[in-house]
Amino acid sequence: MSDLLRRSVLKGGAALAGAYAIGMPAIVRAQSDTIKVGHLTPMTGFLGALGEYAVMGIAMAAEEINAAGGVMGRRLEVMSEDSINPATASTKAQRMLDRDGALVLMGEISSASALAISQVAARNKKLFLATGPRSDTLRGESCNRYLFCIDIPNTVMVNAVGSALMRDGMVEGKSFYTLTADYVFGHDLLRAAKAFFDAHGAKLAGDELVATDVTDFSPYLLKIRQARPDVVCSNLAGNQVTNLVKQYAEFGLPYPIVGFNLNTADAWAAGEGNLSGTWPTVWYHTLDVPASKAFVDAFQKKHGKPPENHAWIEYVSLKMLAQAMNEAKSTDSEALADHFEKGAEFDILKGRPAYFRAWDHQLVQEAYPFTVKAAAEMKDKWDLMALGPAVPAAGEPLETIYPTKEQNPCKL
Amino acid sequence: MQLVFLLEQVVNGLVLGGYYLLIALGLSLIFSVGGVVNLAHGAFYALGAYASVEIARRLGFGAAVILSPAAVGILGILFERFILRRFYAADPILSLLVTFGLAMVAEQLIRMVWGSAPLPVSMPASLKGSVLVGDFLFSRYRLLLLAIVALVVGGLWFAIQRTSFGRVVRAGIQRPDMVAALGIRLQPYMTAIVVLGVAMAALAGALFAPIASVHPAMGAEIVTVAFVVVVIGGLGSFWGVVLAAMLVGVVRGITIHFLPAAGEASMYVLMFLVLMFRPRGLLGERIEKFE
């Protein structure tokens, strides 16, 4: 092959990589009297399916808020962009603050990108509502005054599923084989899982770190069979979960599978009869709460399908932000942070209202373990979870499943 | 016992290599004949997967595996006739740009039609489960996949090496001017090769849909792997690509056995090593028109 051609091929390859890294900028329209919110979420990549729902959810909340007169009489404008990866997310966050006039940042699903954005926000002294990331580190070592975390952290997911597993006698004396997403989120989840196993007499038979772009799990499945554990446990994220679940069903391994992280879109993508076991969720569209049902109906009417948990979380998060601005009578990040820290309560379409803890800025809310419905019990293709009772149980304080001050190194 | 486990990974890697092969072989063929690195190859893989999901919903899995590559093959005729053909003689950077652009357009089109969320797909229940051959565990479905790959690759080899069609194609790869001087128009052969190439990619998509997530970026993911396989094998070499696909599958399996976190990086390290010592790839041929 000629040298010229080889170079061209290599250049083309570099262009390919470059274009995927930069992505396509959204067109942003400026308006002076609006309150602008910079919204970053992954719309492509292994979390892209979740991000699409996040955008639908936040757009719906903005429409409703503006239809009801906006915030303090001003229109709320949400600029949604694809965050792509931590480096691009941080560049875009800075640009949104500098050039696009964003007063507040929110969004994210990837813990790694959220970490990058939170540093930009802190440097600029602007509020960042991290809606979807679940890594404990974000609300632990990396917490800061301007970062508020909405989704349940890894420890809560482990506790939610763990309580259901203990009820079923699947923990004490059992050996677990875990598959872990190889980035900050997964490492963090594995740490929480290990702590749970240690505390309740379970053994870790083995762990596999899995890169986020893995599509073929067969080598990992062979290793699981070689280890013959009592339970297989997924600490994976996004698309990885879908791939694992499909191939686990393909190989038909006899060990029960459970997981400490799952988002509904990834469960829906698994295909009929492939998903089994016990998993956690932060919210599901069949939740039996009137306000939640009204939201589901409105979303379904608009999009022709039920909302996924990221649509819900983005929807309630923007509503929380608007409520806080109205109550604090300010769009200033300092005033908003103070208001959140005072323990303001928010209706997040669940049985109990939620509030931020002042010392680590974590939203304290219910979580739910679920098991997978048999095909005959499903009302439609979206209806695959049999939700367990909310954790913590009705009489207990919400904070019992969250990391305590002793467990969480956050110092604000 | 440890050795048996390792051997199991090697055999499993060979099966996976078969799937890489379906995609890489088409990429290599199109390059050999047209001199075009088709970066849109992954798009045909993705379209094959999406088409198979739609067909499987209506006519079942078997029909999907046959009809989806056929449908994408027809798309390949249009692709060759109206786009690729203009770039055979042009500066290679132009064909890289146009096929790369096309890959992005295709990905966004898929997003617009089917949405970002992966499509749910299951295989027929009868194909689920594994069989034990000696001490080795095989997924029943992947054995079927391997048989189909062997059939397709064998058929393709026969068509290229043993038929008059193949003789013209091989001559066209080495000396297109001579073929023209003999009064044979190469264009229909080019079309046929492109159709075969993209149909194989679509077949890979249809076969992998039941076991991996069907999402818009699946094409971009696989084209990188296919490209790596072709580079390792040597551009233009049939058996080189076969060897490289198997090697990539096996190396990945062995790496995951010892160092799971490095599984996906292993193929790039392999490519690096091969290019260091054999810049032409393992079995890369001298192709006169590219020298």
Side-chain angles (χ1 to χ4, degrees), chain B residues 246-260:
Chain B
M246 300 297 156
L247 206 57
V248 166
V250 170
V251 167
R252 181 172 176 272
I254 294 175
T255 312
I256 288 176
H257 186 77
F258 291 109
L259 197 68

Side-chain angles (χ1 to χ4, degrees), chain A residues 13 16-17 19-21 44-45 213 215, chain B residues 19 23 38-47 50 99-100 102-108 110-111 215-228 268:
Chain A
L16 180 102
Y20 277 113
T44 49
D213 56 348
T215 48
Chain B
Y19 147 76
I23 304 146
N38 178 23
L39 291 180
H41 210 64
F44 293 101
Y45 164 78
L47 283 173
Y50 275 90
T99 53
F100 177 58
L102 213 62
M104 291 176 91
V105 169
E107 187 178 324
Q108 288 305 325
I110 289 175
R111 216 167 249 132
H215 62 112
M218 64 190 295
E221 276 170 12
I222 202 67
V223 80
T224 325
V225 180
F227 192 58
V228 168
Y268 302 104

Side-chain angles (χ1 to χ4, degrees), chain A residues 2 216 239 243 246 250-251, chain B residues 122 129-130 139 142 212-213 290:
Chain A
S2 75
D216 169 57
N239 228 344
N243 285 331
K246 283 172 100 167
E250 177 206 349
F251 275 80
Chain B
S122 300
S130 2
S139 127
R142 281 180 208 228
S213 152
F290 300 140

Side-chain angles (χ1 to χ4, degrees), chain A residues 177-181 208 210-224 231-253 255-262 266-267 269-271 273-276 279, chain B residues 123 142 208 210-214:
Chain A
Y177 202 102
T178 54
L179 293 161
T180 298
E208 302 287 327
V210 182
T212 54
D213 56 348
V214 167
T215 48
D216 169 57
F217 278 81
S218 58
Y220 301 103
L221 297 179
L222 294 181
K223 287 180 84 172
I224 289 173
V231 184
V232 175
C233 172
S234 155
N235 293 327
L236 301 171
N239 228 344
Q240 290 181 315
V241 186
T242 312
N243 285 331
L244 170 70
V245 160
K246 283 172 100 167
Q247 288 165 39
Y248 201 81
E250 177 206 349
F251 275 80
L253 295 183
Y255 324 107
I257 185 168
V258 301
F260 288 136
N261 177 47
L262 187 74
D266 301 319
N274 287 338
L275 187 68
S276 62
W279 304 74
Chain B
M123 67 180 71
R142 281 180 208 228
F208 230 55
I211 49 180
S213 152
V214 176

Side-chain angles (χ1 to χ4, degrees), chain A residues 1-13 15-20 23-24 43-46 48-53 82 177 182 207-228 239-240 242-253 265-275 305 381-382, chain B residues 1 4-6 8-9 12 16 19-20 31 35 37 39 57 91-93 96-97 100 103-104 107-108 111 115-123 127-130 132 135-142 208-215 217 220-224 227 235 252-253 256-264 268 275 279-280 285-287 290-291:
Chain A
M1 189 166 68
S2 75
D3 203 37
L4 181 72
L5 183 60
R6 182 187 306 282
R7 281 207 187 140
S8 305
V9 171
L10 291 178
K11 267 189 229 163
L16 180 102
Y20 277 113
M24 280 164 281
M43 299 182 200
T44 49
F46 77 111
L50 311 175
E52 189 183 50
Y53 279 102
D82 187 356
Y177 202 102
D182 195 7
D207 175 64
E208 302 287 327
L209 288 177
V210 182
T212 54
D213 56 348
V214 167
T215 48
D216 169 57
F217 278 81
S218 58
Y220 301 103
L221 297 179
L222 294 181
K223 287 180 84 172
I224 289 173
R225 172 177 164 265
Q226 290 157 4
R228 300 179 195 280
N239 228 344
Q240 290 181 315
T242 312
N243 285 331
L244 170 70
V245 160
K246 283 172 100 167
Q247 288 165 39
Y248 201 81
E250 177 206 349
F251 275 80
L253 295 183
D266 301 319
W268 284 331
E272 203 190 312
N274 287 338
L275 187 68
K305 57 184 176 184
K381 63 176 173 172
W382 311 106
Chain B
M1 206 55 183
V4 176
F5 290 164
L6 195 60
E8 192 175 20
Q9 292 287 5
N12 183 63
L16 185 69
Y19 147 76
Y20 290 150
F31 175 80
V37 177
L39 291 180
R57 267 182 203 155
D91 183 345
I93 196 78
L96 280 174
L97 284 173
F100 177 58
M104 291 176 91
E107 187 178 324
Q108 288 305 325
R111 216 167 249 132
S116 278
L119 298 190
V121 198
S122 300
M123 67 180 71
L127 293 176
K128 274 186 191 171
S130 2
L132 272 173
D135 249 348
F136 297 157
L137 183 81
F138 288 100
S139 127
R140 204 173 294 177
Y141 183 79
R142 281 180 208 228
F208 230 55
I211 49 180
S213 152
V214 176
H215 62 112
E221 276 170 12
I222 202 67
V223 80
T224 325
F227 192 58
L235 287 164
R252 181 172 176 272
I256 288 176
H257 186 77
F258 291 109
L259 197 68
E264 300 312 292
Y268 302 104
L275 288 184
R280 197 184 285 163
E285 287 172 23
R286 288 179 75 87
I287 298 177
F290 300 140
E291 293 290 332

Side-chain angles (χ1 to χ4, degrees), chain A residues 55-69:
Chain A
V55 173
M56 289 190 250
I58 203 166
M60 197 168 132
E63 266 171 43
E64 288 180 11
I65 291 165
N66 288 328

